[in-house]
Amino acid sequence: MPELPEVEVVRAGLEPAVSGAIITGVEVLDQRALKRHDPIRGDFAALLTGSRLSGAVRRGKYLWFPVAEGPAAGDVLAAHLGMSGQMLLREPGRDDKLTRIRLSLEHPEHGELWLNFVDQRLFGGMMIDSLVPTPDALPAGFGGAFEPGALIPRTAAHIARDPLDPHFDDRAFFAGLARRRTGIKRALLDQTLISGIGNIYADEALWAARLHYDRESAGIPQTRRRDLLEQVRGVLRRALVEGGTSFDAQYVNVNGNSGYFAHSLNAYGQQGKACPRCGGEIVRESFMNRGSHFCPRCQRAR
DNA sequence: AGAAAATCCTGCCGGC
DNA sequence: TGCCGGCAGGATTTTC
């Protein structure tokens, strides 16, 4: 599933292609991929056609592309990959199965490209959104060469910074954990507390921190909270270096290639295998409508 | 108000 | 060979 490392790989791959490019054509092949777009602001294709994009910005799993010129100038093209979304850069004429939205790009240096938004399960989507000030008045997210400034898409404004953001508030995160009387994994998956973590990296970070997924968040000592955040950052950084996790050929980068972090997983999807740390058997339990993978021997409930 | 459950969505895969 | 039930889990909405 696309989580922070996968979305960052996509953002970095798109950055050189979209920065300075003009959208010359928009084809919405499945309207459901626009489910977050407010039609009152105007037709998606009409707003976007003729627009020049200035960069690619990410916070957590949210992506957006500021519009510098054209009908949507001052607003952004926002995208979320959901469960199975992909953004593929292709030679014009090269279609992909399950393409829901296609953007034709004209870049002053790189020429013409297709950007195919592919999404099997339709949990992801694109929209035109407006910018609002960030609650903390600090830069909105990570944009590579593009400096986003203190403006964030309205629909992403409620999301916390991600743990690789230099402005991430460690203390607010620890305070949030101390306040929550719920399982620690629920807290890690709460994008308003910490963004960018999904099921894979939650399980991996909890394994690394030797914490059971359903241990009460508020009862975890401060030293272990610190360690958990450290493990979260370590897992996300390592996955990013490996190009993300490709599981069941679900996630690919903008060229359609897989990431390699699946080979480095210690807990997620490893049920039945030996825990790499203690040799116990990794088990999978159903929790929050999803699988939780952990080692019952070195991740005790209490 | 905070926590938990319900909801959306469909291609793929294993089993028969 | 072909059908079909089950599976995957992001974020939002609804319920408790």
Side-chain angles (χ1 to χ4, degrees), chain A residues 50-183:
Chain A
S51 287
R52 188 187 296 276
L53 306 178
S54 45
V57 187
R58 179 193 56 76
R59 175 189 286 210
K61 307 172 197 170
Y62 286 75
L63 266 178
W64 66 93
F65 311 92
V67 178
E69 305 167 14
D75 291 336
V76 303
L77 167 62
H80 198 291
L81 301 180
M83 277 293 301
S84 51
Q86 305 177 349
M87 300 188 82
L88 298 166
L89 288 172
R90 301 298 198 191
E91 294 294 310
R94 166 78 150 82
D95 195 16
D96 286 288
K97 202 177 164 185
L98 303 178
T99 299
R100 312 295 191 180
I101 300 170
R102 177 160 47 240
L103 305 180
S104 300
L105 303 177
E106 171 76 46
H107 193 279
E109 291 154 43
H110 309 124
E112 292 179 31
L113 270 180
W114 272 9
L115 174 51
N116 292 336
F117 180 81
V118 174
D119 189 6
Q120 179 196 125
R121 287 172 228 174
L122 287 163
F123 279 18
M126 288 183 144
M127 67 181 292
I128 308 290
D129 202 3
S130 47
L131 290 164
V132 298
T134 53
D136 57 11
L138 293 166
F142 182 64
F146 178 83
E147 181 47 59
L151 295 171
I152 190 165
R154 184 179 299 277
T155 53
H158 62 296
I159 296 301
R161 292 180 178 279
D162 64 66
L164 300 190
D165 185 326
H167 299 298
F168 181 82
D169 190 340
D170 289 19
R171 290 181 57 190
F173 172 65
F174 297 142
L177 290 186
R179 209 181 303 122
R180 277 171 170 70
R181 311 202 69 84
T182 183

Side-chain angles (χ1 to χ4, degrees), chain A residues 10-280:
Chain A
V10 170
R11 190 210 65 76
L14 291 176
E15 184 180 345
V18 301
S19 300
I22 285 184
I23 298 174
T24 56
V26 178
E27 286 176 81
V28 179
L29 303 169
D30 193 321
Q31 289 287 333
R32 293 174 296 178
L34 294 181
K35 64 184 169 188
R36 296 177 195 208
H37 178 77
D38 181 3
I40 292 169
R41 20 179 352 118
D43 178 70
F44 179 81
L47 282 170
L48 225 42
T49 304
S51 287
R52 188 187 296 276
L53 306 178
S54 45
V57 187
R58 179 193 56 76
R59 175 189 286 210
K61 307 172 197 170
Y62 286 75
L63 266 178
W64 66 93
F65 311 92
V67 178
E69 305 167 14
D75 291 336
V76 303
L77 167 62
H80 198 291
L81 301 180
M83 277 293 301
S84 51
Q86 305 177 349
M87 300 188 82
L88 298 166
L89 288 172
R90 301 298 198 191
E91 294 294 310
R94 166 78 150 82
D95 195 16
D96 286 288
K97 202 177 164 185
L98 303 178
T99 299
R100 312 295 191 180
I101 300 170
R102 177 160 47 240
L103 305 180
S104 300
L105 303 177
E106 171 76 46
H107 193 279
E109 291 154 43
H110 309 124
E112 292 179 31
L113 270 180
W114 272 9
L115 174 51
N116 292 336
F117 180 81
V118 174
D119 189 6
Q120 179 196 125
R121 287 172 228 174
L122 287 163
F123 279 18
M126 288 183 144
M127 67 181 292
I128 308 290
D129 202 3
S130 47
L131 290 164
V132 298
T134 53
D136 57 11
L138 293 166
F142 182 64
F146 178 83
E147 181 47 59
L151 295 171
I152 190 165
R154 184 179 299 277
T155 53
H158 62 296
I159 296 301
R161 292 180 178 279
D162 64 66
L164 300 190
D165 185 326
H167 299 298
F168 181 82
D169 190 340
D170 289 19
R171 290 181 57 190
F173 172 65
F174 297 142
L177 290 186
R179 209 181 303 122
R180 277 171 170 70
R181 311 202 69 84
T182 183
I184 182 63
K185 183 169 175 179
R186 275 201 162 85
L188 286 182
L189 293 175
D190 181 350
Q191 306 295 302
T192 66
L193 178 64
I194 182 170
S195 68
I197 303 173
N199 203 39
I200 296 175
Y201 298 112
D203 281 1
E204 288 300 306
L206 289 169
W207 179 88
R210 294 178 161 89
L211 285 168
H212 187 276
Y213 66 84
D214 205 19
R215 175 146 169 200
E216 191 187 61
S217 175
I220 297 172
Q222 174 65 10
T223 50
R224 300 207 61 186
R225 284 186 212 132
R226 280 215 183 81
D227 179 56
L228 175 59
L229 181 54
E230 220 169 281
Q231 301 301 338
V232 164
R233 288 187 167 124
V235 166
L236 294 178
R237 286 202 184 100
R238 289 195 294 279
L240 191 47
V241 169
E242 298 281 336
T245 301
S246 298
F247 202 68
D248 289 348
Q250 215 34 269
Y251 153 78
V252 292
N253 68 11
V254 295
N255 301 313
N257 300 317
S258 297
Y260 293 99
F261 196 70
H263 303 287
S264 307
L265 294 172
N266 291 304
Y268 185 87
Q270 306 303 302
Q271 60 270 29
K273 295 184 182 169
C275 169
R277 182 168 49 215
C278 78

